[in-house]
Amino acid sequence: MTGPSTLRPADPSRPPAVPDSAELPLIAAVVRAVALAVVLPVRLLWELVAATGRAVHRYLLTPVGRFLWHWLLRPLGWLLRHALWRPLAWVLRTLVGQPLVWLARGLGWLARHLLLIPLAWLFGELVVPSLRWLARLLAPVGRALAAGLVLLGRGLWWVARVVGAALVRAWRLAGRVLRFLYRLTLRPLGLALGWVWRHTAVPVGRGLRAAWRATVAPAARWLRRAVLDPARRAVREVLTALGLRR
């Protein structure tokens, strides 16, 4: 038989009884266990990685970057500008540009005084009088015409020889001038550029390589050994403990 309390009807005015913690649904316990086992370690690992990244950026990368900028890149730029670019521009302007202008003016003067003026003088003094004399002699007699033609041919041949000799001399003189300018400007310029390259660019490249090996490479190795490898091992251990990785 049941007791009298079990047969008493429920009072609708009374609120239902609140279940205690032992009667919580199973899904809430599962969610809490997953949160404690997965979310919390991942959050802690993320905070650790973020703090490590901020510390590395603040205490390693920023000082290294400032050091490289103030003590390596800026002095290197100043050195290249004042030791290489400005001397090279001065050398090109003074030892190449001006000699080329002088060479062009000299060749123009030689062509004028060795070709144009002699040809004009020869034409005015020999060809024109010869043509006039030939015109006067053509009417009387054929012999005089033949003699005039022979004389004209000889005169033209002499003019051609004179002009050819002048051209040959001008060509040889231009070759000597060019050879002299080459020995005076381009060859010393090439030697100077080679010396500047050997004593500026090569030491600067070696200094950059040494600075890289002395600053960035040790910092990268320390970051990998002190931060990345422990973080990777911690993540692997957490995933293995949670059963997410075999």
Side-chain angles (χ1 to χ4, degrees):
M1 293 179 65
T2 59
S5 60
T6 57
L7 299 176
R8 184 179 300 174
D11 190 359
S13 63
R14 295 177 61 185
V18 179
D20 54 1
S21 60
E23 297 178 357
L24 290 175
L26 182 60
I27 186 64
V30 174
V31 171
R32 182 177 296 176
V34 171
L36 292 176
V38 178
V39 178
L40 183 59
V42 172
R43 181 61 182 273
L44 292 177
L45 180 62
W46 174 256
E47 292 295 335
L48 176 62
V49 172
T52 304
R54 289 193 297 268
V56 169
H57 180 270
R58 182 176 181 181
Y59 296 104
L60 181 62
L61 297 181
T62 301
V64 170
R66 291 177 180 175
F67 172 78
L68 291 178
W69 171 253
H70 289 288
W71 297 99
L72 185 62
L73 296 180
R74 289 181 63 183
L76 178 61
W78 183 89
L79 180 63
L80 292 177
R81 184 172 64 253
H82 290 83
L84 182 62
W85 174 248
R86 290 186 177 180
L88 181 61
W90 181 85
V91 168
L92 292 177
R93 184 176 60 254
T94 304
L95 300 181
V96 177
Q98 293 182 359
L100 290 178
V101 173
W102 296 340
L103 177 62
R105 292 178 179 177
L107 292 178
W109 184 86
L110 291 176
R112 179 182 178 184
H113 289 80
L114 295 179
L115 293 178
L116 297 179
I117 295 177
L119 288 178
W121 181 83
L122 290 175
F123 185 80
E125 295 296 330
L126 293 179
V127 177
V128 173
S130 300
L131 292 176
R132 292 177 180 176
W133 180 71
L134 180 62
R136 292 176 182 177
L137 293 180
L138 283 177
V141 70
R143 292 182 180 178
L145 178 60
L149 292 175
V150 171
L151 182 62
L152 179 60
R154 292 178 178 178
L156 293 177
W157 175 249
W158 180 80
V159 170
R161 289 180 60 185
V162 172
V163 172
L167 289 176
V168 171
R169 291 179 181 178
W171 180 263
R172 292 178 179 177
L173 180 61
R176 293 177 181 177
V177 171
L178 290 176
R179 189 183 304 110
F180 174 76
L181 290 177
Y182 169 75
R183 294 178 179 178
L184 183 64
T185 60
L186 296 181
R187 185 177 179 182
L189 178 61
L191 296 176
L193 291 178
W195 184 89
V196 169
W197 175 263
R198 290 192 302 270
H199 291 82
T200 58
V202 174
V204 166
R206 293 177 179 175
L208 288 176
R209 184 173 60 184
W212 179 271
R213 291 180 177 177
T215 58
V216 179
R221 288 194 296 269
W222 175 85
L223 179 63
R224 184 187 62 187
R225 291 194 301 266
V227 178
L228 297 181
D229 291 342
R232 185 168 59 250
R233 287 194 295 269
V235 172
R236 187 184 300 112
E237 291 176 0
V238 169
L239 295 178
T240 304
L242 296 176
L244 300 177
R245 180 176 180 180
R246 296 180 180 178

